Amino acid sequence: MIKPLLLWVGLLGLSPTLSAQTEPAARQAIGAATPYAAEFAAAYQQYPTVPRGVLEAVAYTQTHMRHISPNEPTSCTGMPLPSGVMGLFADGKGYFRENLRLVAKLSGIAEERIVEEPGSNIRAYAAAYAQLLEQLQLPADDVARHQPVLIALSELPLAPDEVNGFARGSHLYSVLSFLASPENQQRYRFPDYQLDLPAIFGANYRVLSAGSTEVSARGVQGGGQQFDPSGSTYSVVASTDYGPAITDLTTCNYSSRSGTAVTHYAIHTVQGTYAGCISWFKNCSAQVSAHYVVRSSDGQVTQMVTEANKAWHIGSENPYTIGTEHEGYVDDASWYTTAMYSSSAALARDIVGSGYGISGLRTFYGAATTGTFSTGGCVKIKGHQHYPNQTHTDPGVNWNWEKFYTLVNNAPTVSTLTAASGTVYDAGGAAGNYGDDVRQCQLIAPTGATSVSLTFSAFDLESGYDHLLVFNGSNNQAPLIGKYSGTTNPGTLTASSGKMFLEFRSDCATTRPGFAAAWSSTGGSTGCPTDSYESNGTLATAPAIGVNVNNVAYICPAGDVDWYKFTSSSTNNNLNITLTNVPVDYDMELYNAAGTLLYSSTQPGTTAESIVYNGAPAATYYVKVYGYNNNTSTSAYTLRVATQSVAWRAAGSALVAASSTAELERPAVKMTNPVAVGEQTWLTVTGYEGPAELGLRDTQGRPVGESTHAEFRAGQPLGYTLPTGLRPGIYLVRVQLDTHVQTLKLLVQ
């Protein structure tokens, strides 16, 4: 528990008499690189009872040691702005204590000078601090006992409620944590005061140091405990929305959403401190709030309003948004720490996974700017400045949106291509347009390569909205080679590291043909096993294979395609072509001698592929085996062409003989197209009656929703209801019949 704070009625009437002790010669000046180092050094010399480091700790907590001028942008929360390096308040808007007046009275320095001059601001605070130490008869070297002075000189209200108690505790925790840091002790040249923070804050230490907190009518919770400024037994309470958050829900400054669905998430900057913001949201006259507040130093999160309710943070856009305030100032990038980004992104991922339908891929990743501009409804996670009808410009030009996007979407699926050369395409493949809301990551990492070159033969992305990012290394944290959009061909790009990472992103609307590019490498080798059928990369070069025997080969390097040919007799004219021992996702197709596609099999993952063609005319046929999305492997696959005199029929996973002449027909499936979101598409089939399995895939071949079992009847269309929550775009409908699999392209509008 925090030691009892000494508060007194006559504080404002204290005499400005100051200590006149001299500076000990052994103490060293703060390093010249420290902001306002000379001013801090002069203040310590004039007021030696002020412990070294305290002024920097308060200044860092309040302003990150930056002189806040009257021209600073105002807060979108309406919270008043402080003044100077020490963050003193002249106007508390009837809520915060106006500590500028107190500091001026205790120091004898005019308020105007304190506001305008950084040196006067620091010196005045030091004078006030020394005066209070003397009045309270506190030992200068026992910083842990200086908590009453720190609170007396802060702007935070002295109200006895738990939230303001937590705000005051947060202020003390930030100041004392700064002083307890060995890194700060070395940088700012102050001694180790041996501060035992768990002992100083007692049971509340777990709440104050927790990763996140939540404010509610029940009090403040965090770290599995409830904050208790009075020292009573704490209780264990779970957060209602964001599990790690400390709960400190405000009792005012929010309202019902009145049935409006949450669809967006807003990023704000406080223009002030974490503790001040938490306290301000408890001020019922403020008429403002946000759902969460994030601390700069360690990323602690405090929840102020439940997500089910409407916080008052973004004016006309409140009903459909969740909002989070970030401690700091838009003009000072130092507040946007790694801890803050990581914590804020974890909170955003929690919101993405909470069933609101907010996709992490809809996070803004454009350039940080000053001013305001509306991105439109397509971008779901964005700054205050990106919403319509706004005047505030937070989080501003210093917020790293690309970094935040990467942290929110921190687990992408990456396809690794290890061949010495090959071809890459966008998510739509060689012939189709890419889809909406795509994030496609490909790592070109040829074995032993010292450099990789990528030459584009086609490039057509929606300009300004869909982008290809290319990095010189193994991931998207490597140096950026370039970010490309529109129709200007990037030409040839080179990664000197021997690895090239491609990240393709599309937004929620307007698709284009995409890109195609061939890569080559130097310094490495293919690393592919010997394949006796090579080269067989085209129909014209297909080698002959026998029937009813196993043929073992490899898809390697990436981009490799294997063609084979065989001949069907007039007696054994029922064909069953299987692809087994599939090491990665491979697909298979059957063609006639004219190059016309007859059948295809595109099972996902390492599922075996199978094509059945009953009653095949005696002729030469061609089988194509290829890696889905350029998949490759140094492990072998097995291709077998089986023929027999009676027809094959699928029964579960096995194939058995059948004799019905109807089964010798080649079924053909047709489908109504396009279809609106939430409606049905209708399928008809000729030459077939019986069971079917219907499944939906995205343009990258990934299943969307569960498969559906159905039954085709002669002359009757079959309705296929699309999975719920489907977004507009291009999809593939996979129809599994007893005889073969057919894949149809579907446009969902």
Side-chain angles (χ1 to χ4, degrees), residues 10 64 76 199 215 223 233 386 400 455 490 516 518 524 635 666 738:
H64 274 207
C76 64
V215 181
T233 304
H386 299 143
N400 190 332
T455 300
S635 297
R666 180 186 173 197
D738 277 350

Side-chain angles (χ1 to χ4, degrees), residues 568-654:
S568 171
S569 69
S570 57
T571 53
N572 291 322
N573 62 345
N574 300 296
L575 313 179
N576 175 27
I577 304 106
T578 58
L579 186 69
T580 57
N581 299 321
V582 182
V584 290
D585 193 353
Y586 291 167
D587 294 327
M588 181 173 63
E589 297 172 346
L590 179 67
Y591 292 79
N592 61 20
T596 301
L597 175 65
L598 302 177
Y599 295 98
S600 65
S601 178
T602 57
Q603 295 284 357
T606 56
T607 304
E609 308 289 349
S610 176
I611 293 174
V612 173
Y613 185 7
N614 289 320
T620 298
Y621 294 93
Y622 293 81
V623 178
K624 177 184 177 183
V625 179
Y626 59 97
Y628 168 73
N629 199 26
N630 288 312
N631 276 332
T632 184
S633 176
T634 56
S635 297
Y637 64 82
T638 302
L639 176 68
R640 182 182 181 90
V641 178
T643 65
Q644 61 183 30
S645 58
V646 293
W648 300 91
R649 177 177 176 84
S653 60

Side-chain angles (χ1 to χ4, degrees), residues 374-586:
S374 176
T375 62
C378 191
V379 182
K380 302 292 188 182
I381 301 175
K382 53 189 175 181
H384 188 166
Q385 65 192 123
H386 299 143
Y387 285 84
N389 310 312
Q390 304 303 310
T391 58
H392 288 278
T393 61
D394 52 312
V397 73
N398 289 308
W399 184 265
N400 190 332
W401 284 108
E402 177 61 37
K403 177 176 183 176
F404 189 65
Y405 175 96
T406 303
L407 288 170
V408 172
N409 301 285
N410 65 340
T413 299
V414 179
S415 297
T416 301
L417 311 171
T418 58
S421 61
T423 304
V424 290
Y425 302 96
D426 60 88
N433 284 13
Y434 57 79
D436 295 325
D437 292 323
V438 168
R439 190 187 187 201
Q440 177 190 33
C441 295
Q442 298 168 299
L443 172 61
I444 303 173
T447 303
T450 56
S451 70
V452 174
S453 293
L454 184 68
T455 300
F456 288 83
S457 58
F459 194 86
D460 188 351
L461 309 183
E462 184 189 7
S463 181
Y465 295 95
D466 302 336
H467 296 83
L468 174 67
L469 293 86
V470 182
F471 300 87
N472 184 6
S474 58
N475 54 45
N476 55 14
Q477 301 304 303
L480 179 68
I481 295 175
K483 182 178 179 180
Y484 307 97
S485 186
T487 57
T488 301
N489 191 309
T492 298
L493 308 176
T494 300
S496 58
S497 67
K499 295 180 176 63
M500 182 179 287
F501 190 87
L502 310 180
E503 182 171 346
F504 172 62
R505 303 173 186 170
S506 69
D507 69 354
C508 67
T510 309
T511 64
R512 302 290 297 170
F515 63 86
W519 85 83
S520 60
S521 60
T522 59
S525 62
T526 64
C528 294
T530 301
D531 188 339
S532 60
Y533 297 103
E534 297 289 353
S535 70
N536 61 338
T538 64
L539 182 146
T541 60
I545 58 173
V547 297
N548 298 316
V549 296
N550 291 340
N551 303 275
V552 178
Y554 305 87
I555 297 294
C556 191
D560 182 28
V561 175
D562 289 349
W563 286 85
Y564 306 91
K565 66 181 178 182
F566 66 91
T567 302
S568 171
S569 69
S570 57
T571 53
N572 291 322
N573 62 345
N574 300 296
L575 313 179
N576 175 27
I577 304 106
T578 58
L579 186 69
T580 57
N581 299 321
V582 182
V584 290
D585 193 353
Y586 291 167

